[in-house]
Amino acid sequence: MIFTQLYGPMYRNLVFPLYDSVLRRRKTYSYYRQILSVPYLSPGEIDRMRRDRLRALLEYCGRKVPYYRRLFSERGIDPSRVDDVRMLRESGMSITKEEIRSHSDEFISEDFNIGDLVCNFSGGTTGVPLPLYKTMDYWCMRMAIKLRSEDWIGKRPGTPSAIIWGHKANLGKVARARRQLYWNFQNYRFLSAMDIGEESLLTYVGEIKRYGARYIESYVNPVYLMAKTIEKYGVDPPWLDGIVTGAERLHDFQKEKMEDVFRCPVFDRYGCSEFTNISCECGKHRGQHINADNLWVEVVDKNDRPVIGEEGEVVITDLMNYAMPFIRYRLDDTAVMTDRKCGCGRNFPMLERIVGKETRTFTAPDGFELHGKYFQWILYNVPGIFRFQFVEKSADHILMRIIEDGKTPREETERRVREAFSELAAHGVRITVEFTDSIPLTGAGKMSFFISERDGRA
Ligand SMILES: [Zn+2]
């Protein structure tokens, strides 16, 4: 614990700049220093910045990115004349994950080879994860933006913290040790969000205290369940400065419970694999500041018209990703935009709240509790799947529906699925697989990757 407290300032002032700038020759640290003051520019300057960036990106896409080149020509869009997403909206232009999935190569700029780019994967709530590409330089910028958002809540690089997050399933000992080392280097204690039963959560509380963590970063459900477990067993909570939640909808009752039990503020953050950090609360808790120097975020109604103060669909243009540009990308999330000023001095536009996605948890017959994201993470290495859905048939039976991608023999896919879920058998859960041509949508016309038919629940 003493070590983690001493290591914090050392990491921030010495280890991080040296490692990033000198050893790895990256720009995360220098970008972080450069962008700290941008939110304090005037609203006019911020607006000018994003208009200039939008026009530059569109002109580039018109020349170098096959999908947009074709789209602009079909819709008669002259990129050199567009400096506002409104003009794209009026020409009916937007893209979806499905379009990227079907034309993936056409979304990559002709200036880059895929092999030279950094790849991560979209969350894949309804289908197999989609590969997302960016240059190493832009990846550094996204990391710098994440660090800047943390600065808004008073958390500086190297502050001892705990992270409760998902990971690939069935990792070996060496892989687990490497992962912990990666996080320890940044002064984080990594805790798995895959197993969030009471016993594990109580162990986590002890580990967080021993580590001297000042912040917990987590999906909403694990840290909320941790608060409930602390309360139930009358355990002393760790002494924290804040809890940062993300990746799931944060309900008021959950926030209240966590603030009550942990006796510290909860800061909600909105992000996704495509754009990393989209917006984050600051210390004033008046909504979330959008990282508007990099992302142009719109909230629109069913007719694609912008709405303020009411719920709408989130559409995002990434102003800086030139390798795989996202222009008016429909995120399949809902949020509420506000024109309120925060009062903290930062002039980035704000989201009032994120309605976002819900992620449910699954309880096995032996009480083993699993975070819903477990089911997504576990499929990362399974070939042959185009789309999937889990159906909770009963407490001990989960049916997995699969639409195949036609690239892998069916037997191979089924074998790999069974292998991936093998550890569930130890908890009394049986997985069956059903290959199908279609998966029905929910009443709202959306795709749900986890539904329950147990006890009549839907
Ligand atoms: Zn603020």
Side-chain angles (χ1 to χ4, degrees):
M1 178 170 169
I2 293 171
F3 176 76
T4 59
Q5 306 302 317
L6 292 173
Y7 179 62
M10 202 165 88
Y11 174 81
R12 178 160 57 249
N13 299 314
L14 192 69
V15 177
F16 174 36
L18 276 181
Y19 174 80
D20 186 72
S21 314
V22 181
L23 198 65
R24 304 305 302 262
R25 296 180 183 277
R26 290 181 184 166
K27 290 187 179 162
T28 319
Y29 181 74
S30 64
Y31 282 149
Y32 166 64
R33 303 290 304 170
Q34 277 169 36
I35 63 174
L36 274 175
S37 59
V38 178
Y40 296 98
L41 294 174
S42 72
E45 286 170 311
I46 292 168
D47 189 50
R48 237 183 339 270
M49 176 187 266
R50 65 177 187 172
R51 282 171 185 271
D52 289 346
R53 287 185 172 176
L54 177 69
R55 188 171 37 225
L57 175 76
L58 294 176
E59 282 187 291
Y60 179 84
C61 289
R63 292 198 313 274
K64 298 286 187 179
V65 185
Y67 188 85
Y68 293 112
R69 192 163 52 215
R70 182 161 49 80
L71 199 71
F72 292 165
S73 117
E74 277 169 14
R75 295 188 178 262
I77 297 170
D78 175 1
S80 66
R81 300 172 74 91
V82 178
D83 69 349
D84 192 324
V85 288
R86 176 180 51 81
M87 298 157 155
L88 299 172
R89 202 165 54 221
E90 284 167 359
S91 66
M93 195 207 135
S94 66
I95 56 167
T96 62
K97 192 174 278 183
E98 283 312 306
E99 275 162 320
I100 298 182
R101 200 186 291 283
S102 324
H103 303 89
S104 51
D105 294 347
E106 289 181 64
F107 277 91
I108 308 291
S109 156
E110 289 161 351
D111 280 344
F112 300 97
N113 290 317
I114 280 186
D116 299 332
L117 298 170
V118 179
C119 178
N120 67 316
F121 291 89
S122 78
T125 48
T126 56
V128 273
L130 182 71
L132 308 162
Y133 297 97
K134 49 182 73 70
T135 60
M136 175 52 78
D137 190 61
Y138 187 47
W139 184 83
C140 292
M141 175 57 92
R142 296 302 321 169
M143 290 301 109
I145 285 169
K146 177 178 181 285
L147 293 175
R148 177 177 68 184
S149 305
E150 289 173 354
D151 210 76
W152 301 348
I153 63 167
K155 176 178 181 289
R156 306 188 58 206
T159 307
S161 304
I163 179 161
I164 311 176
W165 214 251
H167 54 86
K168 283 181 188 156
N170 301 334
L171 283 184
K173 266 193 184 150
V174 175
R176 263 182 287 176
R178 280 180 62 169
R179 180 187 61 205
Q180 195 59 263
L181 205 64
Y182 167 83
W183 285 106
N184 282 161
F185 178 67
Q186 302 168 71
N187 219 3
Y188 276 92
R189 178 82 180 95
F190 183 91
L191 302 165
S192 168
M194 300 299 210
D195 175 11
I196 45 177
E198 287 182 347
E199 202 179 317
S200 303
L201 290 172
L202 289 172
T203 309
Y204 291 174
V205 172
E207 292 191 31
I208 289 167
K209 286 183 192 169
R210 275 194 298 282
Y211 199 77
R214 310 296 305 177
Y215 289 85
I216 295 176
E217 196 176 318
S218 174
Y219 299 134
V220 173
N221 267 300
V223 68
Y224 169 64
L225 290 174
M226 184 181 278
K228 294 219 306 184
T229 309
I230 287 174
E231 192 178 46
K232 180 173 168 186
Y233 292 94
V235 178
D236 281 337
W239 194 265
L240 300 172
D241 293 331
I243 292 169
V244 185
T245 56
E248 288 178 272
R249 179 175 183 178
L250 173 66
H251 293 277
D252 287 344
F253 74 90
Q254 293 170 316
K255 183 181 163 98
E256 281 159 21
K257 174 64 74 190
M258 287 188 257
E259 292 189 337
D260 187 39
V261 170
F262 286 102
R263 300 177 209 133
C264 71
V266 172
F267 301 95
D268 198 23
R269 185 163 73 189
Y270 179 39
C272 66
S273 332
E274 287 87 339
F275 309 114
T276 327
N277 196 296
I278 298 167
S279 61
C280 187
E281 277 189 292
C282 69
K284 297 261 181 202
H285 299 277
R286 303 260 297 153
Q288 299 196 22
H289 289 284
I290 296 166
N291 287 301
D293 48 350
N294 275 253
L295 302 175
W296 193 320
V297 177
E298 301 165 76
V299 174
V300 297
D301 67 11
K302 284 194 170 56
N303 300 314
D304 208 18
R305 282 188 302 240
V307 281
I308 289 184
E310 59 184 89
E311 199 177 315
E313 190 185 351
V314 181
V315 180
I316 297 186
T317 301
D318 187 337
L319 301 169
M320 306 283 281
N321 186 354
Y322 280 67
M324 182 180 186
F326 288 83
I327 301 172
R328 297 210 74 233
Y329 175 67
R330 295 186 173 270
L331 206 51
D332 204 18
D333 263 351
T334 51
V336 178
M337 186 77 89
T338 176
D339 50 10
R340 185 199 301 146
K341 294 275 172 280
C342 174
C344 68
R346 297 179 185 93
N347 286 315
F348 279 168
M350 301 189 78
L351 290 169
E352 166 95 40
R353 67 193 155 84
I354 317 302
V355 184
K357 298 180 178 85
E358 303 259 3
T359 312
R360 55 185 307 151
T361 58
F362 171 78
T363 312
D366 66 349
F368 182 74
E369 198 149 355
L370 279 172
H371 192 272
K373 284 189 179 279
Y374 170 90
F375 294 92
Q376 292 156 244
W377 284 87
I378 210 163
L379 292 170
Y380 270 22
N381 295 323
V382 178
I385 303 173
F386 178 68
R387 225 180 238 297
F388 63 84
Q389 184 180 54
F390 292 96
V391 187
E392 186 185 13
K393 300 294 260 188
S394 63
D396 63 354
H397 178 205
I398 290 178
L399 167 73
M400 183 182 179
R401 291 183 175 138
I402 296 174
I403 301 180
E404 291 163 278
D405 67 3
K407 294 177 189 161
T408 306
R410 182 173 284 193
E411 301 70 37
E412 170 72 2
T413 301
E414 186 164 351
R415 188 182 65 76
R416 295 286 292 272
V417 168
R418 289 188 189 288
E419 204 174 273
F421 287 101
S422 56
E423 64 181 40
L424 276 185
H427 300 283
V429 183
R430 187 161 56 91
I431 292 261
T432 52
V433 176
E434 175 187 291
F435 291 95
T436 176
D437 293 330
S438 69
I439 292 175
L441 300 176
T442 63
K446 294 206 168 170
M447 184 80 183
S448 182
F449 84 96
F450 198 123
I451 59 169
S452 180
E453 290 177 358
R454 185 174 159 185
D455 311 326
R457 281 185 268 165

